[in-house]
Amino acid sequence: MKRTKVTVIGSINMDLVTDTKRLPNKGETVMGEFFSMIPGGKGANQAVAAARLGADVSLIGRIGEDPFGLSLRKHLEQEGITLCEGEPVHYKSTGVASITLAEGDNRIIVVPGANEEVTAPFVSQFEKIIASSDVVLLQLEIPLKAVECALSLAKKHQVRTILNPAPIRSLPNSLLKDVTYFTPNEHEVGALNIVDKAKLIVTRGEKGVTFFENDTIRSVESYPVEVVDTTGAGDAFNGAFAVALSEGKSLKEACQFSVAVGALAVTKLGAQAGMPTREELSYFLTRRDK
Ligand code: RIB
């Protein structure tokens, strides 16, 4: 099969992950179980998900000239992703996310750093890359103006877009109009005022996903798996959804494909570690069918 072209525009972070049996109260110190530094950022996670599934992926994003940035740049290269970063950001540090894993869930604080420099003029430099994409995928960990700019460039070149509105914030109506599909999770969807429900795909964790077809709500169930870390599950879904659309799958097929990828992603520690390759996904689905 010919490799389709997915362009992701978004954040690149180093995830500083602490696992603890219980969360400290205010002013309290508790002893944690372990600490890891793992590549993350919603943009990078979605890019890795799409690349491992076989798409030709460009990531438009920025990192600092610090040890985290150097190691993330190398990591993206190893994943076969083309990083479109323009001039290096030497005046801000690479984005970091402080992640606490406790009681079966995660809590995340992001300090965007160089991700704030993904501005509209910066994105415009890559118009040709956007124009030659089958699908453009965005999230909200970069400035809103950059998201708006990317969406309008994609519209100009008739490229389909997916906006994963995470972390959620209020969005102007003009932007809502330009997006082909929104992929909020069940907590984020209430904050969005989307009139055209056909654009909406809502991820519901272990309950799967719901979408609209001919004004009727349809759902696709997820798979029971042993959960190790839910960080990046939504990113796995979005990266996979972009690949599925780029390959011409129907909405239902795209949701089924992406739900399986999301399920596999939570079986390993770290946002990107569990992103399956195409072969791993096929093996998983074959075993489920037996
Ligand atoms: O969606 C998970 C991601 O959110 C983490 O990798 C972290 O970097 C934050 O951006």
Side-chain angles (χ1 to χ4, degrees), residues 16-28:
L16 309 178
V17 184
T18 307
D19 183 273
T20 176
K21 285 205 172 104
R22 97 175 161 81
L23 292 164
N25 294 316
K26 258 189 198 172
E28 187 194 14

Side-chain angles (χ1 to χ4, degrees), residues 16-252:
L16 309 178
V17 184
T18 307
D19 183 273
T20 176
K21 285 205 172 104
R22 97 175 161 81
L23 292 164
N25 294 316
K26 258 189 198 172
E28 187 194 14
T29 301
V30 295
M31 304 303 274
E33 301 298 303
F34 63 77
F35 170 77
S36 300
M37 291 197 293
I38 311 177
K42 295 186 195 302
N45 296 344
Q46 296 182 13
V48 167
R52 291 203 187 153
L53 292 167
D56 175 2
V57 179
S58 296
L59 170 59
I60 300 176
R62 302 189 92 175
I63 45 190
E65 287 293 281
D66 45 34
F68 285 167
L70 298 180
S71 122
L72 290 169
R73 185 182 290 124
K74 192 163 162 214
H75 168 72
L76 291 167
E77 199 182 301
Q78 283 164 351
E79 292 286 345
I81 294 166
T82 305
L83 176 61
C84 307
E85 58 171 332
E87 287 295 306
V89 180
H90 46 78
Y91 47 93
K92 279 195 182 167
S93 52
T94 299
V96 288
S98 169
I99 303 184
T100 308
L101 303 179
E103 297 150 9
D105 221 326
N106 59 54
R107 286 167 175 79
I108 306 181
I109 301 172
V110 174
V111 180
N115 294 306
E116 283 172 329
E117 300 306 310
V118 180
T119 58
F122 170 78
V123 168
S124 308
Q125 293 176 66
F126 302 105
E127 178 167 353
K128 276 198 185 135
I129 294 194
I130 292 174
S132 65
S133 310
D134 294 299
V135 172
V136 164
L137 175 58
L138 296 131
Q139 325 72 33
L140 297 176
E141 274 184 348
I142 54 171
L144 205 50
K145 290 272 179 235
V147 174
E148 288 179 302
C149 170
L151 287 171
S152 78
L153 289 175
K155 193 177 180 185
K156 174 175 161 195
H157 296 286
Q158 297 174 332
V159 176
R160 284 170 302 165
T161 49
I162 302 166
L163 176 59
N164 173 219
I168 195 71
R169 56 171 116 156
S170 80
L171 299 173
N173 284 340
S174 53
L175 182 151
L176 298 178
K177 224 170 47 292
D178 281 351
V179 176
T180 316
Y181 290 112
F182 289 94
T183 54
N185 66 26
E186 56 192 332
H187 310 292
E188 293 156 348
V189 66
L192 291 172
N193 179 24
I194 295 169
V195 181
D196 182 359
K197 298 279 183 253
K199 292 179 167 210
L200 205 53
I201 289 99
V202 182
T203 56
R204 300 185 182 278
E206 77 276 11
K207 299 191 285 300
V209 64
T210 52
F211 62 98
F212 286 83
E213 204 174 45
N214 306 326
D215 277 344
T216 310
I217 289 204
R218 308 251 176 236
S219 54
V220 168
E221 281 187 17
S222 190
Y223 297 83
V225 287
E226 212 161 292
V227 178
V228 174
D229 179 6
T230 56
T231 314
D235 298 330
F237 179 91
N238 278 280
F241 190 63
V243 173
L245 284 188
S246 73
E247 291 179 357
K249 293 194 190 326
S250 70
L251 198 50
K252 185 175 175 197

